[in-house]
Amino acid sequence: MVQLDPQRLPVHLAVIMDGNGRWAQQRMLKRIVGHQRGAETVKMVVEQASLLGIKYLTLFAFSSENWSRPILEVRALMTLLKKYIRQETARMLRKNIRYNVIGNRSDLPPDVNDTLDEAIRKTASNDGMVLTLALSYGGRQELCRAAAHLAKDAISGKVSVAAITPDLFDSYLDTGGLPDPDFLIRTSGEMRISNFLLWQLAYTELYFTDTNWPDFTINELHKALADFQSRERRFGKTSDQILQRGGLSND
Ligand code: IPE
Ligand code: IPE
Ligand code: MG
């Protein structure tokens, strides 16, 4: 077993859950079977993250670009998502987990939105882990939505142009109120961001593993977190500054 320092876990863990289709195809199974098995991995990671005391977990479940997949796969994914949320809400309540969604919800089918609304409402007063699902989510689309909203507020005089800072802009994003991810895991061997959290990942530590999402295990999760704990986050400073002054000094 990997040793983890409970004091040095990421506050916010983000995951690009990739490789469901390849997992299935390698076994001569339909891609949707890979997504079904992937949903089991989601349960495990949600449970582990909450047990470890991670405060924010964000999962990339469906991208803006994933709408271009074959219609049958898209439909199957929406059905699976609905089933997952319905089945898991009771467990989320027991584990004090709060649901949150980022992305362009107006593109989602009405029945999926109803299911999400119900889950969000039921878990709204939970103050344990915040589980954010990125659905119909694209980083560039989110940035454009934020810019459009901010432009509207500037034109109406609610915000002055001089007041536009990174903090203010951040508050216009879907993730407003969430801290930036400390750690990002992507499975399946692809080393790219695929339009996920483009603004928020500015200083995130990145971790890539060849394992396909349905095969991702508790041990692999712990191994990834141990890797995170071995890293020195400098945020532009020198290593000496971080080691000598705990990273708090501006000297
Ligand atoms: C991730 O697995 C799930 C979604 C993107 C919805 P993929 O479906 O992308 O699996 P691969 O990359 O084709 O193997
Ligand atoms: C990213 O995976 C999106 C999700 C995991 C939901 P993709 O499989 O869509 O990414 P690309 O197309 O390989 O970059
Ligand atoms: Mg993929």
Side-chain angles (χ1 to χ4, degrees):
M1 270 304 268
V2 187
Q3 282 301 314
L4 290 174
D5 176 351
Q7 305 303 320
R8 295 193 57 220
L9 287 163
V11 173
H12 184 171
L13 169 65
V15 186
I16 301 179
M17 312 183 289
D18 198 10
N20 292 347
R22 277 164 286 168
W23 181 92
Q25 281 163 337
Q26 283 157 12
R27 289 161 179 78
M28 308 297 210
L29 298 167
K30 294 211 165 92
R31 290 176 59 87
I32 187 63
V33 180
H35 296 312
Q36 285 160 353
R37 287 294 294 265
E40 298 303 313
T41 310
V42 176
K43 286 183 201 165
M44 178 278 284
V45 169
V46 169
E47 163 142 27
Q48 277 301 305
S50 147
L51 272 176
L52 287 166
I54 289 174
K55 186 73 186 107
Y56 301 91
L57 174 65
T58 299
L59 303 176
F60 201 5
F62 192 85
S63 75
S64 306
E65 292 73 23
N66 288 151
W67 291 115
S68 319
R69 290 191 179 195
I71 182 72
L72 287 179
E73 179 166 346
V74 170
R75 277 199 201 133
L77 278 166
M78 291 299 141
T79 304
L80 182 63
L81 172 66
K82 224 168 56 180
K83 195 170 138 215
Y84 180 90
I85 304 279
R86 286 206 179 126
Q87 277 179 358
E88 289 302 299
T89 302
R91 205 197 309 255
M92 298 299 113
L93 286 168
R94 275 201 304 280
K95 293 189 184 297
N96 195 23
I97 297 173
R98 179 156 66 88
Y99 272 119
N100 180 40
V101 174
I102 57 172
N104 189 359
R105 285 196 54 187
S106 58
D107 281 349
L108 295 170
D111 55 334
V112 170
N113 268 323
D114 290 347
T115 307
L116 289 170
D117 281 337
E118 191 183 338
I120 291 169
R121 184 176 49 76
K122 282 188 175 159
T123 63
S125 59
N126 288 353
D127 60 1
M129 188 172 82
V130 177
L131 172 59
T132 300
L133 302 178
L135 294 171
S136 189
Y137 176 86
R140 287 183 171 176
Q141 291 83 344
E142 177 195 36
L143 287 164
C144 285
R145 277 199 303 278
H149 187 181
L150 182 52
K152 223 166 120 191
D153 284 353
I155 290 165
S156 74
K158 198 172 152 201
V159 166
S160 80
V161 171
I164 300 175
T165 58
D167 278 347
L168 181 82
F169 193 83
D170 201 86
S171 71
Y172 279 82
L173 295 167
D174 295 357
T175 51
L178 302 179
D180 289 341
D182 302 290
F183 194 41
L184 171 77
I185 298 174
R186 181 172 189 153
T187 58
S188 91
E190 309 299 354
M191 289 192 255
R192 54 178 173 260
I193 298 301
S194 300
N195 203 15
F196 191 42
L197 302 176
L198 296 180
W199 165 281
Q200 299 87 338
L201 294 176
Y203 266 103
T204 303
E205 296 296 326
L206 309 179
Y207 183 91
F208 299 98
T209 168
D210 285 338
T211 306
N212 285 324
W213 182 248
D215 281 336
F216 192 72
T217 59
I218 295 184
N219 274 348
E220 272 225 58
L221 175 65
H222 288 198
K223 207 175 100 191
L225 292 168
D227 190 301
F228 171 77
Q229 297 191 333
S230 74
R231 300 188 189 187
E232 182 184 68
R233 303 185 73 192
R234 290 192 284 277
F235 299 98
K237 297 186 176 187
T238 67
S239 188
D240 281 352
Q241 286 176 297
I242 302 297
L243 293 172
Q244 287 164 18
R245 322 209 184 192
L248 296 173
S249 164
N250 284 320
D251 300 348

